């Protein structure tokens, strides 16, 4: 993660979430912007179920953070295809309050790379950039660092209420 020279940041230890050949993670927090930025890489040959397990642990670790979270990742899961890996990926993201910002191809006709956020995407603009220095395109995410509306803060709450029988309330 590259950071502008005059911007103060704090490195976050992501070692507990990293498993060689399956998931690699680095992260920083930028207190002056109330934001945490992570970068994730999943090798295509890694164990996708192990990746999902660690990804969910990671997202839940940051779930109660007061900061906005931006995760840049080469997930090597084509979200343009409908399959069990894609469905599981989206379910994990949704259950932890995250959204994909990119639905355009980043490698040939596949969307393998994305920027995940835990705040409303109407504040964001994502762009796919062909740099010709990699077999994947780059992504650029632009968003307003002041997400307050006057004196009101924008808050999002996601909850699932389970009944004593283990069912999600309101779903039959």
């Amino acid at each position: 993660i590259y950071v502008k020279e005059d911007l103060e940041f704090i490195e976050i230890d992501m070692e507990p979430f990293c498993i060689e050949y399956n998931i690699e993670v680095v992260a920083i927090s930028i207190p002056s912007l109330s934001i945490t930025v992570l970068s994730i890489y999943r090798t295509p040959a890694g164990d996708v179920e192990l990746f999902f397990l660690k990804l969910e642990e990671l997202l839940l670790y940051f779930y109660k953070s007061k900061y906005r979270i931006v995760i840049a990742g080469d997930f090597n899961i084509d979200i343009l295809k409908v399959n069990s890996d894609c469905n599981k990926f989206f379910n994990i993201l949704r259950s932890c309050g995250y959204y994909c910002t990119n639905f355009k191809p980043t490698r040939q006709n596949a969307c393998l790379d994305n920027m995940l956020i835990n705040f409303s995407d109407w504040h964001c603009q994502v762009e796919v950039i062909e740099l010709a220095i990699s077999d994947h395109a780059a992504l650029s995410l632009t968003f307003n660092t002041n997400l307050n509306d006057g004196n009101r803060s924008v808050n999002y709450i996601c909850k699932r209420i389970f009944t004593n029988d283990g069912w999600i309330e309101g779903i039959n």
Side-chain angles (χ1 to χ4, degrees):
I1 298 174
Y2 292 98
V3 181
K4 191 174 178 183
E5 194 172 313
D6 61 343
L7 196 60
E8 291 186 32
F9 67 93
I10 301 165
E11 286 184 54
I12 302 171
D13 179 19
M14 294 285 95
E15 188 66 31
F17 303 102
C18 297
I19 300 175
E20 193 170 8
Y21 304 115
N22 291 286
I23 182 170
E24 299 170 16
V25 186
V26 293
I28 62 167
S29 180
I30 306 171
S32 63
L33 299 176
S34 300
I35 190 166
T36 298
V37 179
L38 295 88
S39 179
I40 296 178
Y41 175 68
R42 182 186 86 80
T43 60
D47 180 342
V48 72
E49 290 302 321
L50 190 54
F51 170 77
F52 287 143
L53 177 72
K54 294 311 259 183
L55 176 65
E56 188 169 26
E57 286 177 16
L58 175 72
L59 298 178
L60 290 172
Y61 176 80
F62 287 103
Y63 186 75
K64 291 187 179 185
S65 174
K66 62 183 180 213
Y67 287 1
R68 286 162 291 174
I69 310 291
V70 175
I71 303 172
D74 176 357
F75 300 100
N76 279 301
I77 297 169
D78 186 359
I79 66 166
L80 300 179
K81 290 186 178 175
V82 178
N83 60 38
S84 61
D85 287 347
C86 183
N87 289 340
K88 188 161 190 177
F89 182 63
F90 280 126
N91 286 338
I92 290 169
L93 296 181
R94 280 189 218 111
S95 70
C96 296
Y98 287 81
Y99 308 90
C100 287
T101 61
N102 178 50
F103 294 91
K104 296 179 183 171
T106 56
R107 184 173 191 273
Q108 298 172 352
N109 292 326
C111 183
L112 305 177
D113 309 271
N114 225 301
M115 298 280 216
L116 311 177
I117 57 173
N118 70 342
F119 51 94
S120 174
D121 63 356
W122 64 269
H123 295 286
C124 298
Q125 178 183 354
V126 68
E127 184 180 359
V128 177
I129 305 168
E130 294 292 342
L131 296 176
I133 59 173
S134 171
D135 62 336
H136 291 241
L139 292 175
S140 170
L141 179 70
T142 305
F143 61 94
N144 184 352
T145 58
N146 182 10
L147 296 181
N148 292 334
D149 179 17
N151 292 328
R152 294 181 330 181
S153 288
V154 180
N155 293 314
Y156 298 93
I157 300 170
C158 176
K159 25 178 179 172
R160 292 180 287 170
I161 301 170
F162 289 88
T163 65
N164 291 336
D165 299 317
W167 292 95
I168 299 175
E169 193 171 283
I171 298 176
N172 296 326

